[in-house]
Amino acid sequence: MEADTRTEVVLLACGSFNPITNMHMRLFELARDHLHETGKYKVVKGIISPVGDGYQKKGLIEAYHRVAMAVLASESSNWVKVDPWESEQEEWVETAKVVRHHHEELLMSGQCKDEADHVKKGKKRKLRASEGGVSEKLLNTAVPELKLLCGADLLESFGTPNLWKEEDIAEIVGKYGLVCVTRSGSDAQRFIYQSDLLWKHKKNIHLVNEWITNDISATRIRRALRRAQSVKYLLPEPVLDYIQSHNLYSPDSEEKNADVILAPLQKHANLSK
Amino acid sequence: GRYKVIEGIVSPVSDEYGKKGLVSATHRVAMSRLALETSNWIGVDPWESKQQHWSETVEVLRHHYNRLLNPDHLKGSVQDTRVNKTGQDKQDMNSYPGSPQLKLLCGADFLETFKIPKLWREEHIVEVVGKFGLVCVSRGLTDTHRFIHESDTLTRHRHNIHLVREWIQNEISATEIRRALRRGQSVRYLLPDSVIEYIKQHDLYTAESELQNAGDILQPLKTNTE
C-alpha cells in the first residue's frame, strides 16, 4: 500500500457566528474540497471558534448562545467541531493568539498519542524536530498544519487601519497559512498583489473560488429575523429552532454595543498613544 | 396585508419534458418530498410528473385550480383550503369569494422565457398572468421591470404580477449542484442532508445522467412548431 504523503491540515474559522449560517458551514466544505483537489493536503479537522463577548461588536449576542448554535449546526458533521476556548476568555483575544493556542493544542495532542498517560495539559514540550532531527515517535504523529479559514472580507480587513498588528498578519500568513473562500478571486488576488507582506507569503494563501454564490451574511439573517421574515433553508434547521425558542435577534439585541468601540480598535489605538 | 398564503405546491415536470440531464421523475419527486418534510405548508404534487405527455404550464395550473375548488379530490398532506362548494360558474375566479387564488411562483429566468420564440403560445401567457397571476422572485428587479414594460401583454396584467426582491442571494442553481456532484465535490449545506443521502444511495447525477436527452429538442418547442 502506498504511503499517504499528503500534509494533514486543520482548518480554523474565527468569527462572530452571530448566528452561524449555512454559508459558514459551506466555507469548510469548499476549503476541504479545494485542498484535497491539489493532491497535496488532507484536511483532518475543522474548528469553529466563536469570538468572545469582549469583542464588543454591535449586535453581538452572548457567546453562550452563539456557541450553542454553532454546536447544533455542526452536530451532523463528522469533521467540523466547535471549540469554545476563545469565547470563554474575558477579554478579546487577537486572532493570531487564537491560532497560536490551537497550534499548541495540536502539538500537545500529537504527543498525547504516544504518551497518553504522561502528558499534562499546559506543559509545553519542545518538538525534537526543531532541534534538527526527527524522532521516530514524531514521524508517526506528525502535527497537522493549522490554517485560518476565512472569507474575502477577513483578508481585506488586513487593510483596515488599527484593526490588525503587522506582526500578527505576518505570523498568520507566514507561519500558519490562510485558506480564503471568495466569490471574486481576482479582487482577492489584487489585494494580495498590493501588499508586500501578503505577496511575500502568497504561497501560503490559498484562494478558493466560490462558484455557487451563497450570500447568506449573518447581518442579513438578523435583519430578516427582526422583520419576522423567514430564514428557513438559510440556516441549519436546529439553529433556526434554537433562535425561535430563545427569541434571539430583536431590535434590542441589535443595539448591543452600539456606543462602544470594537475591542481591537480600542486596543491598538491605546498602543499607539 | 392583502394576502394569506395557505399552501405551496411543488410540481416536478414529467420526464417527457426532454430536458438535458433530467433524471427520472420518481427520483425528483422523492427528493422534493424529502426536502419538504420539515415544511408545514409546502407539499409535493406528483400529478404533473405522472402524465404520459409533457403538460403545458396552463394545464397544470388549471388542474390544481380545479382540484382546489373540489376538496373531495384533495390528496396527500395538503391542508384544507377555504373553498366555495356551491359549484358556481368556474370561468371567473373572482366570482368565488371563498376560493383561494392560485398563483404561479417562479424566478426571473422563467418570466423571461415568455420571449423565447415558439416556447409559449400567446393565449397561454395571457391565461397564466391574466387568469391566475405570477409571483416572481428575483435578485435584481430593474431588468424584470423593464421586461414587463416591454411587453404589452405583461403590462396589461402587471397588477397580477408580484415581483419579490431576493435580498439574501442564494444562487444555488441545480445545474451547479449537478456539476459539483459529477466532480465529487461537496454540496453539503446547499441541499437538505436527506436529499444528499438519497442522491448518494441511488447514485444519481453522473456524467452519464447529464447526457440524458442530449441532442433532443425540448418538448414544448416540438409541440408549438407543429
Side-chain angles (χ1 to χ4, degrees):
Chain A
M1 190 171 77
E2 250 185 59
D4 190 349
T5 55
R6 294 181 297 169
T7 307
E8 289 194 340
V9 170
V10 171
L11 296 171
L12 169 69
C14 297
S16 307
F17 298 105
N18 188 33
I20 192 164
T21 69
N22 281 339
M23 185 203 69
H24 294 124
M25 300 308 296
R26 272 305 288 163
L27 293 183
F28 283 98
E29 300 288 306
L30 287 165
R32 182 166 73 157
D33 278 347
H34 174 91
L35 291 174
H36 283 187
E37 282 162 15
T38 64
K40 290 187 281 178
Y41 301 99
K42 181 181 178 189
V43 178
V44 295
K45 190 174 175 196
I47 304 170
I48 299 170
S49 176
V51 79
D53 292 333
Y55 190 46
Q56 300 196 304
K57 190 171 183 181
K58 182 167 175 287
L60 192 71
I61 67 168
E62 297 94 316
Y64 168 80
H65 287 310
R66 291 182 290 111
V67 167
M69 290 187 284
V71 168
L72 287 169
S74 55
E75 236 161 19
S76 61
S77 174
N78 63 2
W79 67 284
V80 180
K81 294 293 163 225
V82 181
D83 191 312
W85 176 84
E86 182 184 356
S87 70
E88 289 166 356
Q89 306 311 304
E90 284 256 1
E91 305 233 330
W92 169 71
V93 185
E94 280 104 326
T95 305
K97 283 207 177 85
V98 181
V99 180
R100 245 177 262 150
H101 165 84
H102 285 283
H103 176 70
E104 276 157 19
E105 293 269 295
L106 283 175
L107 287 178
M108 287 198 301
S109 63
Q111 291 164 335
C112 278
K113 278 189 205 158
D114 291 338
E115 305 171 27
D117 306 308
H118 301 293
V119 174
K120 285 173 195 161
K121 253 201 167 178
K123 237 187 182 176
K124 281 190 195 169
R125 289 167 55 149
K126 277 190 190 164
L127 264 186
R128 298 209 188 103
S130 67
E131 290 166 12
V134 181
S135 77
E136 276 185 54
K137 274 193 216 165
L138 290 170
L139 268 179
N140 296 330
T141 59
V143 176
E145 282 183 22
L146 180 67
K147 298 194 182 303
L148 187 65
L149 171 65
C150 65
D153 52 341
L154 186 137
L155 181 71
E156 292 178 19
S157 78
F158 285 161
T160 306
N162 287 332
L163 193 59
W164 293 86
K165 279 193 271 179
E166 196 76 357
E167 55 262 36
D168 282 358
I169 302 178
E171 187 179 347
I172 292 171
V173 297
K175 184 174 178 193
Y176 303 107
L178 211 66
V179 181
C180 176
V181 180
T182 167
R183 246 167 292 147
S184 46
S186 52
D187 287 348
Q189 279 181 323
R190 184 177 308 123
F191 187 77
I192 294 169
Y193 167 74
Q194 287 171 344
S195 154
D196 289 343
L197 181 56
L198 296 181
W199 184 254
K200 180 174 164 193
H201 299 292
K202 65 185 187 296
K203 281 217 167 68
N204 231 0
I205 302 175
H206 305 263
L207 293 181
V208 181
N209 224 308
E210 185 185 10
W211 295 108
I212 303 179
T213 316
N214 223 1
D215 198 14
I216 307 176
S217 86
T219 307
R220 293 181 190 195
I221 296 286
R222 295 197 306 275
R223 184 177 292 132
L225 287 165
R226 284 200 305 276
R227 299 177 184 183
Q229 291 169 341
S230 169
V231 292
K232 203 170 157 117
Y233 311 116
L234 299 177
L235 312 176
E237 198 74 14
V239 177
L240 189 53
D241 290 340
Y242 186 96
I243 291 174
Q244 282 164 351
S245 57
H246 290 82
N247 233 323
L248 305 176
Y249 301 120
S250 59
D252 289 330
S253 69
E254 198 62 18
E255 284 312 297
K256 201 152 186 240
N257 295 321
D259 48 356
V260 177
I261 304 173
L262 204 65
L265 295 173
Q266 216 167 56
K267 200 165 185 180
H268 300 146
N270 289 336
L271 288 175
S272 61
K273 278 180 193 161
Chain B
R2 284 183 285 161
Y3 300 99
K4 180 176 179 189
V5 178
I6 57 175
E7 188 184 338
I9 304 164
V10 167
S11 175
V13 78
S14 87
D15 292 331
E16 305 314 309
Y17 187 45
K19 193 168 184 183
K20 182 169 173 285
L22 196 68
V23 305
S24 116
T26 321
H27 289 311
R28 289 182 287 112
V29 167
M31 289 188 286
S32 301
R33 276 215 172 97
L34 287 168
L36 295 168
E37 245 162 10
T38 64
S39 175
N40 62 1
W41 68 283
I42 315 171
V44 187
D45 193 312
W47 177 84
E48 182 184 355
S49 69
K50 287 181 178 163
Q51 302 310 300
Q52 297 290 3
H53 60 277
W54 166 72
S55 312
E56 317 239 25
T57 304
V58 283
E59 269 184 71
V60 183
L61 282 166
R62 282 176 211 148
H63 165 82
H64 285 286
Y65 180 69
N66 292 333
R67 185 179 59 80
L68 290 168
L69 288 176
N70 295 301
D72 310 316
H73 298 155
L74 287 174
K75 289 179 201 152
S77 59
V78 164
Q79 354 163 242
D80 285 328
T81 58
R82 269 157 242 145
V83 183
N84 185 326
K85 295 175 188 175
T86 63
Q88 283 172 290
D89 179 8
K90 292 170 188 169
Q91 300 298 335
D92 176 13
M93 268 195 7
N94 295 326
S95 71
Y96 288 97
S99 66
Q101 290 182 19
L102 178 69
K103 298 195 179 300
L104 187 65
L105 173 66
C106 65
D109 52 341
F110 177 90
L111 188 70
E112 292 180 23
T113 65
F114 284 161
K115 71 170 184 269
I116 297 175
K118 304 223 164 57
L119 192 60
W120 288 89
R121 278 194 262 171
E122 188 66 16
E123 57 264 35
H124 285 175
I125 299 181
V126 173
E127 193 174 339
V128 171
V129 298
K131 182 173 180 202
F132 297 105
L134 220 60
V135 179
C136 176
V137 180
S138 136
R139 259 168 292 136
L141 294 188
T142 326
D143 288 345
T144 320
H145 277 299
R146 183 177 308 123
F147 184 77
I148 293 171
H149 165 75
E150 284 171 2
S151 154
D152 290 344
T153 309
L154 297 182
T155 300
R156 205 179 321 127
H157 298 285
R158 69 188 177 287
H159 56 280
N160 225 5
I161 302 174
H162 304 265
L163 295 181
V164 181
R165 179 83 190 258
E166 185 189 11
W167 293 102
I168 302 179
Q169 278 156 39
N170 222 2
E171 279 174 40
I172 306 178
S173 89
T175 307
E176 295 281 355
I177 297 289
R178 294 198 305 274
R179 182 176 293 132
L181 287 166
R182 282 201 303 278
R183 297 176 184 186
Q185 291 169 339
S186 166
V187 294
R188 206 128 191 240
Y189 311 110
L190 296 174
L191 307 182
D193 284 345
S194 54
V195 177
I196 298 178
E197 235 347 275
Y198 185 97
I199 292 174
K200 266 206 200 97
Q201 273 169 23
H202 293 84
D203 202 24
L204 303 178
Y205 302 122
T206 56
E208 286 79 47
S209 70
E210 197 62 17
L211 292 174
Q212 182 80 16
N213 299 318
D216 289 353
I217 304 171
L218 210 58
Q219 187 55 45
L221 292 170
K222 271 195 212 160
T223 311
N224 293 333
T225 319
E226 282 152 17

